[in-house]
Amino acid sequence: MSTHAATAPPASPAVRKGLPPGPRAPAFWQTWRLYRDWIGYLEECRRRYGDAFTLNFVAIGRWAYFADPGALRRVFQGPPDVFRAGEARTMLEPVVGRRSVLVLDGEEHMRARKLLLPSFQGTHVRTHERTMEAVTREEMAGWPTGRPFRLRPRFQAITLDVILRAIFGVDAADRRERMHRAIGRLLAVANGPFVLVPTLARDYGRLSPGGILARRRAAVDELVYAQIGERRADPGAAQRDDVLSVLLGARDEDGHELDDETLRDELMTLLLAGHETTATALAWAVERLVRHPAAMRRLLDELREEPAGGDYLDAVIKETLRVRPVIGDVGRTLGAPAEVDGHLLPAGTMVAPAVAAVHLDPQAYDEPEAFRPERWLEDSPPGQAWIPFGAGRRSCLGAGFALFEIKVVLRTILTSLSLRAARPEDERPRVRNITLAPGRGAEIIATPR
Ligand code: HEM
């Protein structure tokens, strides 16, 4: 599609030039408000300014938020050279690398996405079921019983181990252990706020944040390249299901194999995009369930009938991702001027579907704040306004993998352990690295069933 159609200002007099209105408070205050209460602040701005509003942030400037379904279609389905997702995510490049599917746009992006897709189709994802179950059982064996502990770090250990086995194909426990440590050290600095500011993320020497990041990345790279080298030399790789082995068998349009740098970048992409997100979603599912005994009872009844989990488990997961979206913002940088919801926005504007506000829209959901999985089982379930994985050609590539993993991990835990909240108050969403996670880490008390 040409960019021309999207850039030409429509003749309609209703179209206003420039960004939508928004709070006048100083940028530091708006940044702080969003940081402290992401979901609440977006919802408050939607109530005050309507479905289109602009927020102004420290270091990253103005973002135009949209919550109207038509506007969202425009942003998600609009020409990819105008609504540029890769450009909007350049701050991830120091970790994922320049060839990552996350940061590419246009043709290059479509080529990268096509190579990854087969590994994330339903039938392929299900080949990892036993691995997901085994990892959960191993992790669960070390959990305390009868006293409070935080589940989210435990879920992070599970999702990282699943990625190292199912995606990186690391069989040896000692290499996985070394990778756990090196990746933990890298993410501790990579997820810090400075990566949002590209000039700070540069390597200015040993003690600068950029320098520390570069050293920790090199330590992870060494292990990842060793894994790629070993798998390349493995004559049995073609029979394996892990994503690295599948990618080693893939050929680009010219019939070439992927080089090591591309493989490294995609593996790190899947790790960054898939590890903490899935762990946070799991933490929220438990945080909501232990505070909604009727939903927990109904789920346990279903699991007794259907140990693999059925429609109610799926509904619990969908409802969790609706009321507690894990990723607060998805963005597109405008590669050319474009009209969205009656606003003619200049090139370079950051356009963001307001995920949390969309999920709490009273026009789309009855009692939008209530955790009610049943709504997904009713005659005409809602659904248009459900975008925890984004939408369109840049939507989450690992959504099927994540939903399946959440299902397997939850059912494995809930059929072995009885869980209750360590404290009765709801946990509030808090920014934790790239996700909005339960403030106390999903603190629970577990006892054997
Ligand atoms: C509950 C867990 C997860 C959530 C909530 C989530 C959410 C998202 C969101 C919101 C996006 C951006 C969509 C957009 O801009 O329209 C995204 C992109 C992406 N996600 Fe996920 N994700 C999850 C798990 C995973 C997993 C498990 C993987 C892979 C192992 C993964 C891989 C990716 C990739 C590769 C992209 C970039 C796609 C592209 O640009 O073409 N995600 N995810």
Side-chain angles (χ1 to χ4, degrees):
M1 209 184 289
S2 91
T3 57
H4 184 73
T7 59
S12 157
V15 174
R16 277 150 292 167
K17 235 175 152 179
L19 275 66
R24 298 227 178 118
F28 82 85
W29 180 246
Q30 298 187 40
T31 311
W32 175 245
R33 287 288 318 274
L34 191 77
Y35 183 81
R36 289 300 292 171
D37 182 12
W38 206 290
I39 299 177
Y41 191 47
L42 288 182
E43 183 48 19
E44 180 187 317
C45 289
R46 207 261 312 266
R47 276 199 306 271
R48 256 174 84 186
Y49 301 99
D51 280 339
F53 54 89
T54 300
L55 295 179
N56 188 13
F57 300 123
V58 172
I60 53 172
R62 290 177 201 282
W63 284 38
Y65 281 90
F66 294 93
D68 169 74
L72 298 191
R73 262 195 305 280
R74 172 105 179 95
V75 174
F76 285 132
Q77 315 294 349
D81 41 1
V82 177
F83 295 92
R84 295 169 67 82
E87 198 177 328
R89 304 174 185 151
T90 43
M91 68 285 209
L92 302 175
E93 213 179 287
V95 177
V96 297
R98 64 198 164 95
R99 304 192 187 188
S100 155
V101 68
L102 273 166
V103 300
L104 293 172
D105 277 308
E107 283 296 310
E108 281 184 316
H109 164 258
M110 283 319 278
R111 268 200 296 276
R113 192 166 164 113
K114 231 160 100 186
L115 286 170
L116 288 170
L117 270 176
S119 303
F120 289 94
Q121 268 151 7
T123 41
H124 196 92
V125 166
R126 282 192 287 279
T127 60
H128 305 305
E129 185 168 4
R130 295 284 156 259
T131 303
M132 291 169 175
E133 252 171 33
V135 170
T136 310
R137 286 192 199 290
E138 280 165 31
E139 172 58 37
M140 239 178 7
W143 292 359
T145 53
R147 62 178 172 83
F149 70 103
R150 291 167 182 240
L151 266 181
R152 188 165 167 273
R154 315 291 170 138
F155 284 146
Q156 281 175 286
I158 292 177
T159 58
L160 182 55
D161 216 45
V162 166
I163 286 179
L164 291 179
R165 294 193 205 193
I167 293 181
F168 287 51
V170 187
D171 299 331
D174 59 334
R175 176 171 289 168
R176 280 206 307 276
E177 194 50 50
R178 264 180 290 146
M179 288 179 104
H180 265 266
R181 274 201 303 275
I183 288 165
R185 284 167 55 77
L186 172 65
L187 295 184
V189 23
N191 283 325
F194 76 87
V195 291
L196 290 176
V197 188
T199 45
L200 287 183
R202 261 184 240 136
D203 183 353
Y204 292 112
R206 276 187 65 78
L207 297 177
S208 68
I212 298 171
L213 180 77
R215 273 203 314 284
R216 294 187 180 182
R217 179 182 148 161
V220 173
D221 281 357
E222 198 183 317
L223 293 165
V224 175
Y225 282 124
Q227 177 67 13
I228 295 171
E230 241 167 64
R231 196 56 73 231
R232 232 187 236 297
D234 175 1
Q239 275 74 54
R240 296 178 57 106
D241 291 321
D242 57 84
V243 176
L244 172 57
S245 298
V246 176
L247 287 178
L248 281 169
R251 298 290 174 265
D252 67 15
E253 280 158 354
D254 305 322
H256 297 129
E257 293 182 345
L258 301 184
D259 61 31
D260 283 4
E261 190 190 340
T262 306
L263 288 167
R264 178 262 168 218
D265 286 1
E266 296 308 15
L267 290 176
M268 289 308 289
T269 295
L270 299 170
L271 172 82
L272 189 80
H275 150 53
E276 190 149 352
T277 45
T278 312
T280 295
L282 276 161
W284 277 125
V286 173
E287 191 278 346
R288 290 292 75 197
L289 279 169
V290 293
R291 288 177 177 78
H292 293 83
M296 178 70 104
R297 260 196 310 278
R298 182 160 174 187
L299 179 56
L300 293 174
D301 287 346
E302 179 182 90
L303 287 173
R304 265 188 290 277
E305 296 284 310
E306 274 182 83
D311 292 345
Y312 196 71
L313 179 51
D314 290 337
V316 164
I317 297 168
K318 282 195 102 168
E319 184 68 346
T320 301
L321 289 167
R322 182 186 72 81
V323 289
R324 296 292 185 267
V326 164
I327 299 285
D329 276 331
V330 297
R332 304 287 184 264
T333 301
L334 291 185
E339 190 227 311
V340 182
D341 203 13
H343 300 271
L344 182 62
L345 307 168
T349 304
M350 182 66 116
V351 174
V355 179
V358 171
H359 285 187
L360 295 178
D361 183 355
Q363 293 191 23
Y365 299 99
D366 291 338
E367 294 182 81
E369 310 269 347
F371 177 76
R372 204 166 61 75
E374 286 72 14
R375 70 174 88 237
W376 298 98
L377 305 174
E378 286 158 7
D379 286 345
S380 48
Q384 290 301 314
W386 191 77
I387 49 168
F389 296 106
R393 71 190 90 204
R394 300 307 295 253
S395 67
C396 177
L397 193 78
F401 188 98
L403 291 170
F404 186 67
E405 182 175 359
I406 296 170
K407 194 167 172 166
V408 173
V409 174
L410 274 184
R411 77 176 190 221
T412 307
I413 293 171
L414 294 177
T415 47
S416 318
L417 294 174
S418 176
L419 307 181
R420 65 190 153 90
R423 286 186 255 174
E425 315 87 64
D426 287 358
E427 296 198 28
R428 293 169 60 80
R430 285 278 180 260
V431 176
R432 294 285 181 264
N433 305 329
I434 57 166
T435 68
L436 293 178
R440 297 194 301 277
E443 206 183 4
I444 54 120
I445 298 171
T447 43
R449 241 178 221 295

